[in-house]
Amino acid sequence: MTKKILFFCLMTMSLAAQNIDNQLRLSAAVDYQFAKKWKVETQYRYGLDHDFGAFQSCVIQTGITYKLTKKWDIEVGYRFATAFDHDNHRLFASIKFEHKFKKQYSISARTRYQWTTQQFDADFMANFKAPSQYLRERIAFEYNVPKSKWSFNVGPEFFIRLDKSPIAYHRIRYYVGAKYDLKYGQAIGITYFFEDRYKATQDDRSVWNVNYSLSLDTFLKKLKKGKDKEKKAKKEKAD
């Protein structure tokens, strides 16, 4: 499985060398499970484009997830992106599915509807630039290395544009990534995707994303557990 992932990564890197726009994203995310079935997550992203040489945009996104069942989740959220020449606002809603096989393998799917506009202004949307609307379908296969903190994932994401007539396929992303779990609910990862656009006049993209994530409720529980153990050990030593 690992060899196949490495082969896919080398293949996509070879394709990326043929494209003009190579990009880098640095991101950090924090999530907090505040109730049994509810979780909130906030993410910040800093992006570079033009072969990593120019500022692209800063993005902040927040969303709330509700666990319907063991395998199904729903999510709603908001994203704000700012660049030198324009800003945009995005609202999105997703439904997610995940199924695990023998603890090491899992398959997941996410269907997302997104609505993006530069301004929440009716006149602007009517006369200058209408909001863009997409349906995104992402499928991922994940492998957790036995007796290791490493996991690998691979899969595609399809974009269907809804705001044009007729509704049509717009682009596809091919993902491959790796994640390493740290202590106290933390993780670091790297993901690569190659974006293949349908129209030849639009540049394809080769994008690397280096990310850090923290599960805040897990972090606080582990921290409290560690302090309790330390207090207990000191008390036993004093006795």
Side-chain angles (χ1 to χ4, degrees):
M1 181 68 179
T2 305
K3 291 181 179 179
K4 290 180 180 179
I5 293 173
L6 291 173
F7 173 76
F8 182 83
C9 186
L10 291 172
M11 181 183 70
T12 49
M13 287 174 67
S14 176
L15 288 169
Q18 303 172 20
N19 290 277
I20 296 174
D21 199 7
N22 296 288
Q23 301 178 5
L24 174 66
R25 297 175 175 180
L26 305 173
S27 61
V30 179
D31 67 69
Y32 181 71
Q33 186 173 339
F34 59 90
K36 185 177 180 180
K37 294 186 176 184
W38 292 92
K39 181 172 72 174
V40 63
E41 181 178 22
T42 298
Q43 181 185 111
Y44 173 80
R45 189 181 81 203
Y46 181 86
L48 300 172
D49 60 6
H50 293 89
D51 295 330
F52 315 143
F55 169 75
Q56 182 192 36
S57 65
C58 285
V59 175
I60 186 164
Q61 176 176 302
T62 186
I64 187 167
T65 300
Y66 177 74
K67 183 168 284 297
L68 290 170
T69 66
K70 187 177 180 180
K71 297 181 180 181
W72 292 91
D73 297 341
I74 55 173
E75 175 191 27
V76 293
Y78 165 76
R79 192 190 86 158
F80 174 73
T82 182
F84 287 133
D85 55 350
H86 70 277
D87 300 334
N88 68 56
H89 306 268
R90 175 176 297 172
L91 303 174
F92 61 88
S94 310
I95 183 164
K96 296 182 281 188
F97 169 83
E98 182 179 18
H99 180 69
K100 294 183 179 181
F101 305 89
K102 299 180 180 179
K103 296 183 180 180
Q104 295 158 355
Y105 302 93
S106 66
I107 181 172
S108 61
R110 186 195 70 188
T111 300
R112 169 173 290 181
Y113 167 77
Q114 66 182 39
W115 182 92
T116 307
T117 184
Q118 289 186 17
Q119 295 184 30
F120 287 116
D121 183 273
D123 290 334
F124 177 86
M125 290 186 280
N127 301 311
F128 294 96
K129 189 172 182 180
S132 66
Q133 300 179 61
Y134 285 92
L135 188 66
R136 300 169 56 171
E137 182 64 45
R138 181 171 180 180
I139 303 170
F141 302 91
E142 184 170 310
Y143 172 66
N144 294 281
V145 181
K147 299 179 181 179
S148 170
K149 295 182 179 181
W150 283 98
S151 61
F152 299 90
N153 64 84
V154 62
E157 183 173 21
F158 303 90
F159 287 68
I160 306 297
R161 190 156 191 176
L162 304 176
D163 56 297
K164 300 291 184 180
S165 183
I167 294 171
Y169 158 76
H170 187 259
R171 62 187 186 269
I172 185 172
R173 291 177 180 175
Y174 302 96
Y175 286 89
V176 61
K179 185 179 73 169
Y180 183 80
D181 291 325
L182 302 171
K183 291 182 178 180
Y184 302 135
Q186 302 173 89
I188 55 173
I190 183 167
T191 302
Y192 170 82
F193 73 78
F194 171 72
E195 183 173 271
D196 183 15
R197 301 200 176 200
Y198 178 69
K199 293 184 179 179
T201 55
Q202 294 177 308
D203 293 331
D204 296 335
R205 295 194 297 168
S206 173
V207 183
W208 292 92
N209 183 23
V210 180
N211 58 79
Y212 165 82
S213 62
L214 168 66
S215 179
L216 188 57
D217 55 303
T218 302
F219 178 82
L220 294 174
K221 288 176 184 177
K222 294 285 186 181
L223 202 62
K224 184 179 182 302
K225 189 176 180 180
K227 288 182 178 180
D228 290 344
K229 283 185 178 180
E230 188 177 341
K231 287 180 181 179
K232 186 177 179 181
K234 286 182 179 180
K235 185 177 179 181
E236 289 176 351
K237 188 176 180 180
D239 294 341

